[in-house]
Amino acid sequence: MPTKLPVGILGATGIVGQRFIQMLEHHPWFDVSWLAASDRSEGRSYGEAARWRLKTAIPDNVARMTVSPANPKDAPKIIFAALDAGIAGELEPQFADAGCAVVSNSSALRMQADIPLVIPEVNGDHIQLIETQPWRRKSGGFAVTNPNCSAIGLVLALAPLHRAFTLETVMAVTMQAVSGAGYPGVASLDILGNVIPYIAKEEEKMEEETQKLLGTLRGSHIEAAPFAMSAQCNRVAVEDGHTESVAVRLKKKARPEEIIAAWNDFRAEPQQLRLPSAPAQPVVYMTAADRPQPRFDCDLGAGMTTAVGRLRKCNVLDWKFTVLSHNTIRGAAGAALLNAELLKAKGYLS
Amino acid sequence: MPTKLPVGILGATGIVGQRFIQMLEHHPWFDVSWLAASDRSEGRSYGEAARWRLKTAIPDNVARMTVSPANPKDAPKIIFAALDAGIAGELEPQFADAGCAVVSNSSALRMQADIPLVIPEVNGDHIQLIETQPWRRKSGGFAVTNPNCSAIGLVLALAPLHRAFTLETVMAVTMQAVSGAGYPGVASLDILGNVIPYIAKEEEKMEEETQKLLGTLRGSHIEAAPFAMSAQCNRVAVEDGHTESVAVRLKKKARPEEIIAAWNDFRAEPQQLRLPSAPAQPVVYMTAADRPQPRFDCDLGAGMTTAVGRLRKCNVLDWKFTVLSHNTIRGAAGAALLNAELLKAKGYLS
Amino acid sequence: MPTKLPVGILGATGIVGQRFIQMLEHHPWFDVSWLAASDRSEGRSYGEAARWRLKTAIPDNVARMTVSPANPKDAPKIIFAALDAGIAGELEPQFADAGCAVVSNSSALRMQADIPLVIPEVNGDHIQLIETQPWRRKSGGFAVTNPNCSAIGLVLALAPLHRAFTLETVMAVTMQAVSGAGYPGVASLDILGNVIPYIAKEEEKMEEETQKLLGTLRGSHIEAAPFAMSAQCNRVAVEDGHTESVAVRLKKKARPEEIIAAWNDFRAEPQQLRLPSAPAQPVVYMTAADRPQPRFDCDLGAGMTTAVGRLRKCNVLDWKFTVLSHNTIRGAAGAALLNAELLKAKGYLS
Amino acid sequence: MPTKLPVGILGATGIVGQRFIQMLEHHPWFDVSWLAASDRSEGRSYGEAARWRLKTAIPDNVARMTVSPANPKDAPKIIFAALDAGIAGELEPQFADAGCAVVSNSSALRMQADIPLVIPEVNGDHIQLIETQPWRRKSGGFAVTNPNCSAIGLVLALAPLHRAFTLETVMAVTMQAVSGAGYPGVASLDILGNVIPYIAKEEEKMEEETQKLLGTLRGSHIEAAPFAMSAQCNRVAVEDGHTESVAVRLKKKARPEEIIAAWNDFRAEPQQLRLPSAPAQPVVYMTAADRPQPRFDCDLGAGMTTAVGRLRKCNVLDWKFTVLSHNTIRGAAGAALLNAELLKAKGYLS
């Protein structure tokens, strides 16, 4: 059996850090060997430091690991980063500079010109931006990011349409789960029996990330996709799974059965390479009139499949539909993990 | 003190029927003298027949009333109707035919050409359609309706914009409270920790009712407003208050402060006539970045005020904003009650 | 590979019926070959008839099965029954009379003198009551029942204490999940942001079933356990998992570590026989100060393990603790399934 | 019109501080003139500093007040304290020492021998302990406390029974609202679809406070009530209103109608003195089988009335019943306010 690659997790005690640990527990290629978190956690065992909020148990070996200080000394060469944007903007470059492959879920670097923002099924070729990063030349290190949890499900639903019919206009309204805000995150007094029609900076992220993800690599930069894009973001009393009401205008006319086929038939490099975390079917169209629903459908494809439903004509744009994606799996830890798997398959990790 | 007019309630045991009773308890003009509901309830006291789901107590005199059969014999001449659409389509014409003023919350008749669909602040003049109804000529009876609970808040927010700047395009995504589905309505297993992206016939109602409400009376018919309108409707785990993420394109360019002023300054006939249930301010713009929210804001103006917030530029249309309206007060019982008050003020009731 | 035994499900479309189908999908001994439900569903495919409320998909072969009428003609010889009590009291005897092994989750027959009420880890020997049933002599058929969803977790937690220290007094207050009321069951307007301090007949069932389960087989009847038992039952806004605050008085003095060991070391026939649905550890004591919690812990042991926590001194009785059990797995479908497995292992099924 | 007494609020920005402001808005005797909160809020306007979580709006004059530093200099002579226990233990004595009447909701001083722990309907005479406080002699200042939010509803339900029938044993299991934990308090990820069977120190407070409240003033100390008392505390997904499943043993035999009469007829000094915040009826017995419920009943008597229901025989003790009390009104701000009103009526404030 080949040796697994040791990986570290920055921000290991948060909700996304926990998902990394859960998804890496039986991973065939990667092995968690190092955990770092805030100063408060440093030096304690992970089992004590983390307030574990998942249904599966903390893996025993991880529970016993000591939380390390968040600096690259003694860290392994592959780092999954699940930090808040503020601290990520400071720490991730340090790790890349020290020669680490930083596979980040944070928003800090996503929109920088030389940082690949990647969904492997959508724009795996953007990974080549790595070669334009100064760290790469200096130490071999680099950074790759995945999109915001609200953008990723949307883009997986849009990509097959964009390929086949060319998007002209996209409008999306989200109803986002509380786990997207981390832990403790949203106070129960704020969300029980309530909707919060505001998530700081979320609409801007959705809009610009969607256009970068569906953009085109032109040498050393990404040309943003030229369609118009508008997002409205709401928080709802759901634990996991972001639901989105989407409307699009397409350049080429499409019949509904063609659109549905575009979704159901969508396959890409992760499926061809059989990456361990790649879902067999990245996008599934659900035919029931009232699906997808977060409580019942967000675990499709082990949380890596985007569910789409309710395709129907729009009086303003061309089509309306509903998108659902698991926000801490496909929308965060699973997104970064799939990025790492693609990097490994392409020879960037060793 | 002038004698109050006796009124009856059709569908008195449901959620909207209960709101009618609550709102009529201390009403200066109307007095509940007759209650009807399904056969199951007939002959029982209202206190036994209704599964009361409001925070205030059932008025004692109402609790003791016997539930009557749902036919016009012995019914008073003013009827508030809170029936399901199927049965409403059958019963409401019977009551109108028998000479009653039927002030209905049901969808059954709303889109008929000779039926006024009215929000008193928006299109009180549509009431004149009454004169085109065959019942009116025969027995003096007539029917007036109010819009769906998802349309009314939206239209109150749109009307000031349409007046001042002319709407060209409207897109709305709703997050609707469970009380909108009546009782027992939405099963808890369907909505706890969930979003349901489908409400039967709701999107069609929102779209066509909005255009009729903002349409123009041309003699004996309403010319629908000519703007394009698209709705997507979702159910969320909220008890009361429909929240909507809205985007609009306006014909006349408007600055944000002009739009906000249009909302805050909006007054109409109900305010001028000082109708008892009219809110002092029909539309309130909330300046906090994360408002309105249903749990905290749906009782504004005793549930009769529509709250708007988050006005910001839209990359696709011109403007985005959030609308909140109490779905069983302004969106149902209060809507019908205000219609009845307008009818009274205009001399249609006696 | 030995042929699997064909089994039927009575009440297949309900929440517990769905759990039966889910748990039987890959069962090594049993194969679902027949489904029956109310007249409304009869003749339709199961996929159309059932409003599936689980996170895993309906097995394809089951979705295509036609729902049969609920009578023993053409039914297989092993019947899992998930009917409401009223109809169960009528139908279950018909099936037993026709020679079926009726493994029932219903309350209808539970307290009859000749009906075994069984938790395999607790009182598997009660199964012998089968031989006293008239159906057994006539057609070979018989009926076996499992307890109410609120009793089963409690009794699994009490059994090790009763064995080791003898119970004198038990007080239990439940906080029960909405799935315990079936579907549609509890209306969302009744439970969002609420506690309902009443579940019809539930307290009586908990009290009498607990004493029968921990009672002693005396020839052809069960002598109820002699301890005093009092229950108070509440419904809370939880999807799955009944939580109970329990206090007990024990005859023999016990130290806390002895009590915890009694729970953690508890094993019984299902574990020794390695029954397919038996959890490796029927009762697990959780050491964290704030566990067990339904959202995180009700799937322990694939939903078949009872979690206990917070053992501490009681000022009135001796000890207080919290019990959690999955109400539709260990508390319903899994309970019946484990009963069937025990019956098979003991030679009652073929 | 007589001048109102100026009052200050310590901990004004928290959930209980907000309730103080709400309840004092139109108070006939007291006028908010000073607000203090944590250093973070100091110097800002209250409107900016507080994250207001109530349905009624912040009173305009309060929104404009500047938050003062939390020291007695410049503070008025009557202080409502809504501080966390840690900081309360430090600050409250400073204010009392400086001559203030400290009417506290905090747990810090409650169990000190010379501190009255008071519910005006239950043990108003305990107020005399004030005279044993060193501050009283030095500066005229003193401190009076109200009980924990979980104890107060229970004690209001127990007091009439204790008077009439003498309590021998009390067992209570709580299902407590999230507002009891303050703001941000309970994380939504912890409580959505969940029960938390643990609230730090809550059971101890309930037990000891109940016995002090129902105890007897013996000169300069309180002799705790001699009954046995055991509590189990749970957190549920309810916004406001603590529900409790209670069982009691009584020394004198009582018939159910006598018990119910004891509750419904219970009146005390606050009612006789017509204190402004005193409910007309402190305890109401609800006859419906499934009441009281927090969502519908916690606002009874403007949140100052304790609702009781479901009286029935207990197999272990004598009687079981359900108690409901609004935890931030009767259980916190309203409790302190009623204490202040009693103090005023008795001449302690001026």
Side-chain angles (χ1 to χ4, degrees):
Chain A
M1 199 180 80
T3 318
K4 294 185 188 177
L5 296 174
V7 302
I9 301 173
L10 267 174
T13 54
I15 287 294
V16 175
Q18 294 181 22
R19 281 283 182 201
F20 273 123
I21 288 167
Q22 186 189 49
M23 296 188 79
L24 287 164
E25 183 173 7
H26 303 292
H27 199 277
W29 297 352
F30 303 128
D31 196 45
V32 175
S33 70
W34 182 90
L35 303 168
S38 65
D39 297 349
R40 198 177 54 246
S41 301
E42 199 185 308
R44 300 167 69 193
S45 77
Y46 183 77
E48 288 167 5
R51 188 160 168 80
W52 189 256
R53 295 286 80 184
L54 299 178
K55 292 193 174 194
T56 57
I58 309 187
D60 276 345
N61 66 320
V62 171
R64 286 190 303 265
M65 264 181 217
T66 301
V67 177
S68 300
N71 75 55
K73 205 169 78 70
D74 306 324
K77 286 298 167 202
I78 304 171
I79 297 293
F80 290 105
L83 299 162
D84 286 340
I87 188 75
E90 190 184 317
L91 288 183
E92 292 181 359
Q94 293 177 19
F95 279 78
D97 195 64
C100 295
V102 177
V103 185
S104 167
N105 178 56
S106 159
S107 65
L109 307 181
R110 280 181 202 151
M111 293 306 296
Q112 289 193 12
D114 61 356
I115 299 285
L117 174 65
V118 176
I119 301 173
E121 283 92 343
V122 173
N123 64 333
D125 60 319
H126 291 198
I127 278 181
Q128 300 167 43
L129 282 182
I130 287 172
E131 304 303 344
T132 72
Q133 298 177 359
W135 310 307
R136 183 66 168 164
R137 290 186 293 274
K138 179 185 167 203
S139 65
F142 61 86
V144 168
T145 62
N146 59 264
N148 187 277
C149 52
S150 61
I152 196 159
L154 176 67
V155 171
L156 275 160
L158 293 180
L161 307 188
H162 196 41
R163 274 192 204 178
F165 314 110
T166 308
L167 291 164
E168 284 194 345
T169 309
V170 177
M171 296 191 77
V173 174
T174 69
M175 292 157 280
Q176 300 184 218
V178 294
S179 58
Y183 183 85
V186 182
S188 53
L189 275 174
D190 285 339
I191 201 67
L192 282 171
N194 206 12
V195 169
I196 306 174
Y198 176 69
I199 303 173
K201 298 186 195 163
E202 194 83 355
E203 299 176 351
E204 295 80 354
K205 289 182 201 168
M206 270 193 84
E207 293 170 353
E208 65 187 15
E209 293 181 12
T210 295
Q211 290 174 315
K212 181 171 181 180
L213 286 157
L214 292 171
T216 306
L217 179 68
R218 304 281 184 214
S220 65
H221 79 287
I222 305 298
E223 186 181 296
F227 55 78
M229 163 81 199
S230 178
Q232 300 188 63
C233 295
N234 301 283
R235 186 79 68 192
V236 293
V238 165
E239 291 95 325
D240 290 309
H242 289 355
T243 309
E244 309 188 2
S245 291
V246 182
V248 297
R249 178 173 290 140
L250 302 174
K251 187 162 246 161
K252 278 193 229 163
K253 288 306 141 207
R255 282 174 296 123
E257 54 274 24
E258 292 172 322
I259 294 175
I260 291 170
W263 281 323
N264 282 330
D265 297 344
F266 180 62
R267 299 290 181 282
E269 217 173 6
Q271 285 70 41
Q272 286 139 18
L273 297 171
R274 297 180 180 275
L275 299 181
S277 303
Q281 188 174 335
V283 181
V284 166
Y285 185 79
M286 306 189 75
T287 55
D290 62 352
R291 302 297 270 264
Q293 297 178 11
R295 180 137 143 261
F296 296 108
D297 303 318
C298 81
D299 290 336
L300 271 180
M304 291 296 286
T305 289
T306 291
V308 184
R310 300 212 67 221
L311 181 70
R312 59 212 190 282
K313 296 288 293 177
C314 178
N315 293 335
V316 170
L317 303 181
D318 293 332
W319 297 100
K320 300 187 280 197
F321 51 87
T322 297
V323 173
L324 170 71
S325 177
H326 195 300
N327 56 297
T328 64
I329 299 181
R330 178 51 105 154
L337 183 51
L338 196 60
N339 278 353
E341 292 170 1
L342 184 66
L343 289 165
K344 170 85 170 67
K346 288 179 179 281
Y348 286 88
L349 304 182
S350 56
Chain B
M1 197 180 78
T3 318
K4 294 185 189 179
L5 296 173
V7 301
I9 301 174
L10 266 174
T13 55
I15 288 293
V16 175
Q18 294 180 22
R19 280 285 182 200
F20 273 124
I21 288 167
Q22 185 189 51
M23 296 188 78
L24 287 164
E25 184 172 6
H26 302 293
H27 198 277
W29 298 352
F30 303 128
D31 196 44
V32 175
S33 69
W34 182 90
L35 302 169
S38 65
D39 297 348
R40 200 178 51 244
S41 300
E42 198 186 310
R44 301 166 69 193
S45 76
Y46 182 79
E48 286 166 8
R51 187 159 168 80
W52 189 257
R53 295 283 80 183
L54 299 178
K55 292 193 174 193
T56 56
I58 308 187
D60 277 344
N61 65 321
V62 171
R64 285 190 304 264
M65 264 180 215
T66 301
V67 177
S68 300
N71 75 54
K73 205 170 76 75
D74 306 325
K77 287 298 167 203
I78 304 170
I79 297 293
F80 290 105
L83 298 163
D84 286 339
I87 188 76
E90 191 184 315
L91 288 182
E92 292 181 359
Q94 292 177 19
F95 279 79
D97 195 65
C100 294
V102 177
V103 186
S104 169
N105 179 56
S106 159
S107 65
L109 307 180
R110 279 181 203 150
M111 294 305 298
Q112 290 193 12
D114 62 355
I115 299 287
L117 174 66
V118 176
I119 301 173
E121 282 91 343
V122 173
N123 64 334
D125 59 319
H126 292 197
I127 278 181
Q128 301 168 43
L129 283 181
I130 287 172
E131 304 302 344
T132 72
Q133 298 178 357
W135 311 307
R136 183 67 168 164
R137 290 183 294 272
K138 181 186 166 200
S139 65
F142 61 86
V144 168
T145 62
N146 59 264
N148 187 277
C149 53
S150 61
I152 197 159
L154 177 68
V155 171
L156 276 161
L158 293 179
L161 306 189
H162 196 42
R163 274 192 203 178
F165 313 109
T166 309
L167 291 165
E168 283 195 343
T169 309
V170 177
M171 296 191 77
V173 174
T174 68
M175 292 158 282
Q176 299 183 221
V178 294
S179 58
Y183 183 83
V186 183
S188 54
L189 276 174
D190 286 340
I191 202 66
L192 282 172
N194 207 12
V195 169
I196 306 174
Y198 176 68
I199 302 173
K201 298 186 194 165
E202 194 83 356
E203 298 175 352
E204 295 81 353
K205 289 181 200 167
M206 271 192 84
E207 292 170 352
E208 66 187 17
E209 294 179 11
T210 296
Q211 290 174 316
K212 181 170 181 179
L213 286 157
L214 292 172
T216 307
L217 180 68
R218 303 283 184 212
S220 65
H221 80 286
I222 305 298
E223 187 181 294
F227 54 79
M229 162 82 197
S230 178
Q232 300 188 64
C233 294
N234 301 282
R235 186 79 67 193
V236 293
V238 165
E239 291 95 326
D240 290 310
H242 289 353
T243 309
E244 310 188 2
S245 291
V246 182
V248 297
R249 178 174 290 139
L250 302 174
K251 188 162 245 164
K252 276 194 229 163
K253 290 305 142 207
R255 281 174 295 122
E257 55 273 25
E258 292 172 322
I259 294 175
I260 291 170
W263 280 323
N264 282 331
D265 298 345
F266 180 63
R267 299 289 183 282
E269 217 173 6
Q271 285 71 41
Q272 286 138 18
L273 296 171
R274 297 180 180 275
L275 299 181
S277 302
Q281 188 173 336
V283 181
V284 166
Y285 185 79
M286 305 188 74
T287 55
D290 62 352
R291 302 298 269 264
Q293 297 179 10
R295 181 138 142 260
F296 297 107
D297 304 318
C298 81
D299 290 336
L300 271 179
M304 291 296 284
T305 290
T306 292
V308 184
R310 299 211 68 220
L311 180 70
R312 60 213 189 283
K313 296 289 293 177
C314 177
N315 293 335
V316 170
L317 304 180
D318 293 332
W319 298 99
K320 301 188 280 198
F321 51 88
T322 297
V323 172
L324 170 72
S325 177
H326 195 300
N327 56 298
T328 65
I329 299 179
R330 177 50 105 154
L337 183 51
L338 196 61
N339 279 352
E341 292 169 1
L342 184 66
L343 289 165
K344 170 87 169 67
K346 287 176 179 285
Y348 285 88
L349 305 182
S350 56
Chain C
M1 199 179 83
T3 320
K4 294 185 188 178
L5 295 173
V7 303
I9 301 173
L10 267 174
T13 55
I15 287 294
V16 176
Q18 294 181 21
R19 280 284 182 200
F20 273 124
I21 287 167
Q22 185 188 50
M23 297 188 78
L24 286 164
E25 183 174 7
H26 303 292
H27 199 276
W29 298 353
F30 303 128
D31 195 46
V32 175
S33 69
W34 182 89
L35 303 169
S38 65
D39 297 349
R40 199 176 52 244
S41 301
E42 200 186 309
R44 300 167 67 193
S45 76
Y46 182 78
E48 287 166 6
R51 188 161 167 78
W52 189 258
R53 295 284 80 184
L54 299 179
K55 292 193 177 195
T56 56
I58 310 187
D60 277 344
N61 65 321
V62 171
R64 286 190 303 264
M65 265 180 215
T66 301
V67 178
S68 300
N71 75 55
K73 205 168 79 70
D74 306 324
K77 286 299 167 201
I78 304 170
I79 297 293
F80 290 105
L83 299 161
D84 286 340
I87 188 74
E90 192 184 316
L91 287 183
E92 292 181 357
Q94 292 177 20
F95 279 78
D97 195 64
C100 294
V102 177
V103 185
S104 168
N105 179 56
S106 160
S107 65
L109 307 180
R110 278 181 203 150
M111 294 306 296
Q112 289 193 14
D114 61 357
I115 299 286
L117 174 65
V118 176
I119 301 172
E121 283 92 343
V122 172
N123 65 334
D125 60 317
H126 291 199
I127 278 181
Q128 300 168 45
L129 282 181
I130 286 172
E131 305 302 345
T132 71
Q133 297 178 0
W135 311 307
R136 182 67 168 164
R137 290 185 292 274
K138 182 185 167 203
S139 65
F142 60 86
V144 169
T145 62
N146 59 264
N148 187 277
C149 53
S150 61
I152 197 160
L154 177 68
V155 171
L156 275 161
L158 292 179
L161 307 188
H162 196 42
R163 274 192 202 176
F165 313 110
T166 309
L167 292 164
E168 284 194 344
T169 309
V170 176
M171 297 191 78
V173 174
T174 69
M175 291 158 281
Q176 300 184 220
V178 294
S179 58
Y183 183 85
V186 182
S188 53
L189 275 175
D190 285 340
I191 202 66
L192 282 173
N194 206 12
V195 169
I196 306 174
Y198 175 69
I199 303 173
K201 298 186 195 162
E202 193 83 355
E203 299 176 351
E204 296 78 353
K205 289 181 201 168
M206 270 193 84
E207 291 170 354
E208 66 188 15
E209 293 180 12
T210 296
Q211 290 174 316
K212 182 171 181 179
L213 286 157
L214 292 171
T216 307
L217 179 69
R218 303 283 185 212
S220 65
H221 79 286
I222 305 298
E223 187 181 294
F227 54 79
M229 163 80 199
S230 178
Q232 300 188 62
C233 294
N234 301 283
R235 186 79 67 193
V236 292
V238 165
E239 291 95 324
D240 291 308
H242 288 354
T243 309
E244 308 188 1
S245 291
V246 183
V248 296
R249 178 174 290 140
L250 302 173
K251 188 163 243 162
K252 278 194 228 163
K253 290 304 143 207
R255 282 173 295 124
E257 54 274 25
E258 292 171 322
I259 294 174
I260 291 170
W263 281 322
N264 282 330
D265 298 345
F266 180 61
R267 299 290 182 283
E269 220 173 4
Q271 285 71 40
Q272 286 138 18
L273 296 171
R274 297 180 179 276
L275 299 181
S277 303
Q281 189 174 334
V283 182
V284 165
Y285 185 79
M286 305 188 76
T287 54
D290 61 353
R291 303 295 271 266
Q293 296 178 11
R295 182 140 140 259
F296 296 107
D297 303 317
C298 81
D299 289 336
L300 269 179
M304 291 296 286
T305 289
T306 293
V308 184
R310 299 211 68 218
L311 180 71
R312 59 214 189 281
K313 296 288 293 177
C314 177
N315 294 336
V316 170
L317 304 180
D318 293 333
W319 298 99
K320 301 188 279 199
F321 50 88
T322 297
V323 172
L324 170 72
S325 177
H326 195 299
N327 56 298
T328 65
I329 299 180
R330 179 51 106 154
L337 183 52
L338 196 60
N339 279 352
E341 292 170 359
L342 184 66
L343 289 164
K344 170 83 171 66
K346 288 178 177 283
Y348 284 89
L349 305 181
S350 57
Chain D
M1 198 181 77
T3 318
K4 294 185 189 178
L5 296 174
V7 302
I9 301 174
L10 266 175
T13 55
I15 287 294
V16 176
Q18 295 180 22
R19 281 284 182 201
F20 273 123
I21 288 167
Q22 185 189 50
M23 297 188 76
L24 287 164
E25 184 172 7
H26 302 293
H27 199 278
W29 297 354
F30 303 128
D31 195 46
V32 175
S33 69
W34 181 91
L35 303 168
S38 64
D39 297 348
R40 200 177 51 246
S41 302
E42 200 187 309
R44 301 167 67 194
S45 76
Y46 183 78
E48 287 167 5
R51 187 160 168 80
W52 189 257
R53 295 285 80 184
L54 299 178
K55 292 192 176 195
T56 57
I58 309 187
D60 276 344
N61 66 320
V62 171
R64 286 189 304 264
M65 263 180 216
T66 301
V67 177
S68 300
N71 74 55
K73 204 168 81 72
D74 305 324
K77 286 298 166 203
I78 303 170
I79 297 292
F80 290 105
L83 299 162
D84 285 340
I87 188 74
E90 191 183 316
L91 288 183
E92 292 181 358
Q94 292 177 19
F95 279 78
D97 195 65
C100 294
V102 177
V103 186
S104 168
N105 180 56
S106 157
S107 64
L109 307 180
R110 280 180 201 149
M111 293 305 297
Q112 289 193 12
D114 62 355
I115 299 286
L117 174 65
V118 176
I119 301 172
E121 283 93 342
V122 174
N123 64 334
D125 60 317
H126 291 198
I127 278 180
Q128 299 167 46
L129 283 181
I130 286 171
E131 305 301 346
T132 71
Q133 298 178 358
W135 311 306
R136 182 66 168 164
R137 289 185 294 271
K138 181 184 165 200
S139 65
F142 60 87
V144 168
T145 63
N146 60 263
N148 188 277
C149 53
S150 61
I152 198 160
L154 177 68
V155 171
L156 275 161
L158 292 179
L161 307 188
H162 196 42
R163 274 193 203 176
F165 313 110
T166 309
L167 292 164
E168 283 194 344
T169 309
V170 177
M171 295 191 77
V173 173
T174 69
M175 290 158 283
Q176 299 183 222
V178 295
S179 58
Y183 183 84
V186 182
S188 53
L189 276 174
D190 285 340
I191 201 68
L192 282 171
N194 206 12
V195 169
I196 306 174
Y198 176 69
I199 303 172
K201 297 186 194 164
E202 193 83 355
E203 298 175 351
E204 295 79 353
K205 288 181 200 168
M206 270 193 83
E207 291 171 353
E208 65 187 18
E209 293 179 13
T210 296
Q211 290 174 316
K212 181 170 181 179
L213 286 157
L214 292 171
T216 308
L217 179 68
R218 301 287 185 211
S220 65
H221 79 286
I222 305 298
E223 187 180 295
F227 54 79
M229 163 81 197
S230 178
Q232 300 186 64
C233 294
N234 301 283
R235 186 80 66 192
V236 293
V238 165
E239 290 96 325
D240 290 310
H242 289 354
T243 309
E244 309 188 2
S245 291
V246 182
V248 297
R249 179 174 288 139
L250 302 174
K251 188 163 243 165
K252 276 193 227 164
K253 289 305 139 206
R255 281 175 295 123
E257 55 274 25
E258 292 172 323
I259 293 174
I260 290 169
W263 281 322
N264 282 331
D265 298 345
F266 180 63
R267 299 291 181 284
E269 218 174 6
Q271 285 71 41
Q272 287 139 16
L273 296 171
R274 298 178 180 276
L275 299 181
S277 303
Q281 189 173 335
V283 182
V284 166
Y285 185 80
M286 305 188 75
T287 55
D290 62 352
R291 302 295 271 264
Q293 297 178 10
R295 180 137 142 260
F296 297 107
D297 304 317
C298 81
D299 289 336
L300 271 179
M304 291 297 285
T305 289
T306 292
V308 184
R310 299 212 66 222
L311 181 70
R312 59 212 189 283
K313 295 288 293 179
C314 177
N315 294 335
V316 170
L317 304 181
D318 293 333
W319 298 99
K320 300 187 280 198
F321 50 88
T322 297
V323 173
L324 171 71
S325 177
H326 195 299
N327 56 297
T328 64
I329 299 180
R330 178 49 105 153
L337 183 52
L338 196 61
N339 278 352
E341 292 170 1
L342 184 66
L343 288 165
K344 170 85 170 68
K346 287 178 178 283
Y348 285 89
L349 305 181
S350 57

